[in-house]
Amino acid sequence: MVPIVVPMKSRERFLATVERRPVDRPACWLGIPDRKALPGLFRHFGVDSLAALKARIGDDVYHFELPYDAPGASAIEMALNFAKDRVISVNEDRNLSLPGIFEDAETEADFEGFDWPDPARHISPDRCRAAVAAAPADMAVMGVLWSSHFQDACAAFGMENAFVKMLTEPNLFRILNRRIVDFYLAANQILYEAAADSMDAVLIGNDFGSQQGLMVSPSILREWVLPETKRLVDQAKSYGLKVVHHSCGSIAGIIPDLIAIGVDAIHPIQALASGMEPEKLKRQFGSQVSFFGGVDAQYLLVQGQPSEVRERVLALRELFPTGLVISPSHEAILADTKSENIEALFAAARA
């Protein structure tokens, strides 16, 4: 496919990339920099805000996280505190290996003792509209909703215990997973009713992969997890939104399943994870789904040189003339990422 030469606006370019239509150049996205990475990025690019940074580098995507405000939970991913005998108030303290509040649960009735939050009490439609309205003109608007029901269920039981329950008490796992998804459906509905008509895409996600493979078998994910993910996908698509599904790690084994439930793009191509080679993914799935990522954030952006980053981006552009939103291979740029490599990434993406 030959890229078109007529210049495109960011929103137009993003949608064409995700839909695998001809583009003037691939869309690109900075991702969600860790707060500790921002000072160095700001110094390097001579800016004082994330918005100014994105404008300076030519980012095509304005992302925002679903506004959520509750005591002890100022982000939607913190809304369900399933840690046992411990209050988790900042994201850095989350740990799926901690004992979960339902580690000893035996029946559905055991789930009733948890203080399930009401999203309507903690999500303001006005704040949702304001978050979307803050998008610069012509940028693609993507809501980061996470809705990480698999990870939440693992936290609720404790990860090792959760994996055991998938085999020994799968119906109990299914019931809790559905209850968690019900919460996210209600939360996301508030955003969609308030502002979906001004949005282009949402990012939802669960980490299914390790560096070497899936954390549980594809058959378990197909039976007990992905049907609930499909409810989230269907809801977003009913509002005309593109759905980007996030999972770190090696997830090639379930990409066909994510395609089957209606996902429009996979985030990210984690460049060094087993089986996630861009060439392989393009060959196997490039006509069925789009991707984000591909620029290694584990080694290349941290220890590599700008010339190496440029070479990698140009190779990705040749492999994916469309169908790949070029970005780091993890959603969070960390503080050890070289700012000059981020500059090289975007310069090559825009070349």
Side-chain angles (χ1 to χ4, degrees):
M1 181 180 294
V2 179
I4 61 176
V5 295
V6 177
M8 304 174 81
K9 300 290 188 181
S10 287
R11 179 177 183 272
E12 180 185 10
R13 180 181 300 118
F14 172 84
L15 291 173
T17 300
V18 171
E19 293 172 359
R20 299 179 298 285
R21 294 186 280 108
V23 289
D24 57 345
R25 62 163 177 82
C28 49
W29 181 43
L30 178 64
I32 309 171
D34 184 90
R35 58 184 176 82
K36 294 178 182 177
L38 291 175
L41 289 167
F42 290 172
R43 284 193 301 271
H44 179 85
F45 289 100
V47 298
D48 59 6
S49 69
L50 181 59
L53 171 63
K54 290 166 74 69
R56 176 71 179 274
I57 63 178
D59 197 332
D60 289 303
V61 183
Y62 167 82
H63 73 266
F64 69 95
E65 299 202 49
L66 174 61
Y68 187 88
D69 189 17
S74 58
I76 189 63
E77 63 267 26
M78 303 296 298
L80 299 175
N81 180 15
F82 288 134
K84 187 176 184 179
D85 302 324
R86 183 177 179 187
V87 175
I88 306 297
S89 58
V90 295
N91 199 34
E92 288 85 350
D93 291 340
R94 298 181 81 200
N95 188 330
L96 300 186
S97 65
L98 290 172
I101 194 170
F102 298 135
E103 66 175 352
D104 299 318
E106 296 180 350
T107 70
E108 182 178 1
D110 292 321
F111 301 148
E112 299 307 318
F114 181 71
D115 184 15
W116 293 90
D118 177 2
R121 295 182 58 191
H122 307 299
I123 301 174
S124 161
D126 287 342
R127 286 190 63 198
C128 291
R129 283 187 283 269
V132 174
D138 300 321
M139 287 188 76
V141 179
M142 182 169 71
V144 178
L145 311 184
W146 294 123
S147 304
S148 302
H149 58 97
F150 173 70
Q151 292 172 230
D152 285 328
C154 288
F157 290 119
M159 179 172 275
E160 183 176 349
N161 189 35
F163 291 170
V164 171
K165 284 189 179 295
M166 286 184 205
L167 296 173
T168 62
E169 300 177 82
N171 196 51
L172 193 65
F173 183 92
R174 181 190 64 80
I175 290 169
L176 180 61
N177 193 27
R178 174 163 282 263
R179 183 74 174 265
I180 292 168
V181 171
D182 287 342
F183 166 82
Y184 285 123
L185 289 170
N188 297 347
Q189 184 83 13
I190 297 170
L191 169 66
Y192 296 153
E193 289 294 322
D197 57 352
S198 299
M199 296 167 54
D200 300 299
V202 294
L203 185 148
I204 63 174
N206 287 285
D207 285 341
F208 296 136
S210 69
Q211 191 77 8
Q212 298 300 320
L214 292 166
M215 291 189 284
V216 296
S217 73
S219 61
I220 288 177
L221 292 174
R222 290 178 192 128
E223 186 166 4
W224 303 113
V225 179
L226 292 178
E228 294 305 314
T229 303
K230 186 177 187 300
R231 296 172 68 206
L232 294 161
V233 173
D234 288 347
Q235 181 193 40
K237 294 180 81 71
S238 75
Y239 284 88
L241 299 170
K242 301 296 184 186
V243 178
V244 182
H245 189 283
H246 165 84
S247 174
C248 291
S250 172
I251 63 164
I254 59 161
I255 287 178
D257 303 282
L258 293 172
I259 294 170
I261 65 172
V263 167
D264 295 290
I266 307 294
H267 175 279
I269 298 177
Q270 186 169 316
L272 300 187
S274 178
M276 296 296 287
E277 298 83 1
E279 296 79 6
K280 175 183 174 182
L281 297 179
K282 171 66 174 179
R283 182 174 64 254
Q284 292 185 327
F285 308 115
S287 64
Q288 303 170 69
V289 73
S290 296
F291 294 92
F292 282 52
V295 185
D296 169 39
Q298 292 177 278
Y299 172 82
L300 180 59
L301 290 177
V302 177
Q303 300 183 47
Q305 299 301 313
S307 60
E308 296 174 293
V309 174
R310 175 180 173 81
E311 181 180 352
R312 187 57 185 151
V313 171
L314 294 179
L316 287 168
R317 288 187 59 168
E318 184 173 355
L319 181 63
F320 285 93
T322 188
L324 173 66
V325 177
I326 294 177
S327 60
S329 65
H330 189 276
E331 83 277 3
I333 295 171
L334 302 180
D336 59 356
T337 301
K338 291 182 180 179
S339 297
E340 57 266 34
N341 284 341
I342 297 300
E343 183 174 6
L345 186 161
F346 277 86
R350 298 194 315 267

